[in-house]
Amino acid sequence: MNETTAGADQYVPTDARSLADLRAAAPDCQGCELYRDASQVVFGRGDADARVVMVGEQPGDVEDRKGLPFVGPAGHLLRRAVDDARLPVDQIYLTNAVKHFRFQQRGGRRIHQTPDRVHIVACRPWLVAEFALLRPEVVVVLGATAARALLGPSFRVTQSRGRALPWPDSAQRVQDFPVGPAQVVATIHPSAVLRADDRETAYRGLVADLTVAGELLAG
């Protein structure tokens, strides 16, 4: 990595005892170049005792401006899907694999750009630190970027979505993560529903996948 992608290791406090400690330190992170153009870091939100952790890709334009994950259009759709899947909202912790918004400026608009692997790797220490303080029963992986960050580059959401998987799966062992939750459920990112030609079908698929997570909690 060059100096702009040195990674977040030096910015993650080794003595963090709470998510609040991590959240307070995150704004100083310059582990990759994304901090330069983003408005602010967008850290996870939710209770440390949450039974479900949902991991997405990166903040979007609205999240970057407000400093909170999943508060834009995709976040509103996710909340509706969570309700339809009967998941307990107060038992969900929301975060992203990459904490800064990557975008391309086009006139007055900021167009989302998918994070590269270098950004996922650079930001990984924050995700590891979050999981060290979380003890969920289920992790919901939202989309390919989150899947690569958590389960390795060989994992394919399209092949494994909507299934209860062990954490970590022996075929994609994630060595540097703390002992994790019992189950993982992968699904599409809610933004994929917004981009779909047939939104209703895509939405039903998202709800069906989230319902599997709910059944694990109940089970």
Side-chain angles (χ1 to χ4, degrees):
M1 292 183 180
N2 60 38
E3 64 178 358
T4 61
T5 52
D9 274 318
Q10 62 183 306
Y11 302 100
V12 178
T14 57
D15 59 348
R17 302 182 65 180
S18 68
L19 293 169
D21 290 341
L22 295 178
R23 190 174 293 108
D28 294 330
C29 187
Q30 299 179 14
C32 74
E33 83 283 0
L34 296 184
Y35 81 93
R36 294 176 176 173
D37 296 325
S39 302
Q40 58 191 312
V41 71
V42 180
F43 203 73
R45 64 184 172 107
D47 195 272
D49 295 324
R51 299 175 66 197
V52 181
V53 172
M54 293 189 173
V55 182
E57 179 190 87
Q58 68 167 1
D61 180 73
V62 176
E63 289 83 359
D64 174 72
R65 298 179 191 281
K66 294 188 176 182
L68 294 169
F70 291 98
V71 292
H76 292 306
L77 185 143
L78 178 62
R79 172 57 192 271
R80 179 161 64 93
V82 163
D83 289 342
D84 286 345
R86 298 186 178 180
L87 278 168
V89 176
D90 61 347
Q91 289 294 313
I92 296 175
Y93 181 87
L94 294 166
T95 193
N96 284 299
V98 175
K99 310 300 188 195
H100 283 108
F101 179 36
R102 188 186 190 209
F103 62 93
Q104 185 178 58
Q105 193 76 42
R106 293 183 188 172
R109 298 180 63 199
R110 301 192 301 173
I111 307 302
H112 164 277
Q113 282 190 301
T114 301
D116 288 335
R117 176 165 175 76
V118 69
H119 303 120
I120 297 170
V121 173
C123 207
R124 185 181 178 84
W126 288 112
L127 201 58
V128 172
E130 283 178 286
F131 270 86
L133 296 167
L134 295 163
R135 291 293 181 268
E137 298 169 36
V138 181
V139 167
V140 177
V141 177
L142 299 168
T145 298
R148 287 195 296 271
L150 282 167
L151 303 171
S154 64
F155 187 88
R156 296 291 181 267
V157 171
T158 53
Q159 296 174 6
S160 301
R161 63 177 295 185
R163 292 164 45 197
L165 304 171
W167 173 275
D169 185 88
S170 59
Q172 294 105 10
R173 189 165 183 81
V174 185
Q175 299 289 350
D176 59 349
F177 269 82
V179 176
Q183 303 284 346
V184 179
V185 177
T187 187
I188 58 174
H189 194 281
S191 63
V193 177
L194 297 176
R195 297 191 303 268
D197 293 332
D198 185 348
R199 289 190 183 184
E200 186 57 37
T201 297
Y203 178 77
R204 287 199 301 268
L206 175 62
V207 172
D209 294 343
L210 295 181
T211 300
V212 173
E215 290 170 348
L216 290 172
L217 289 185

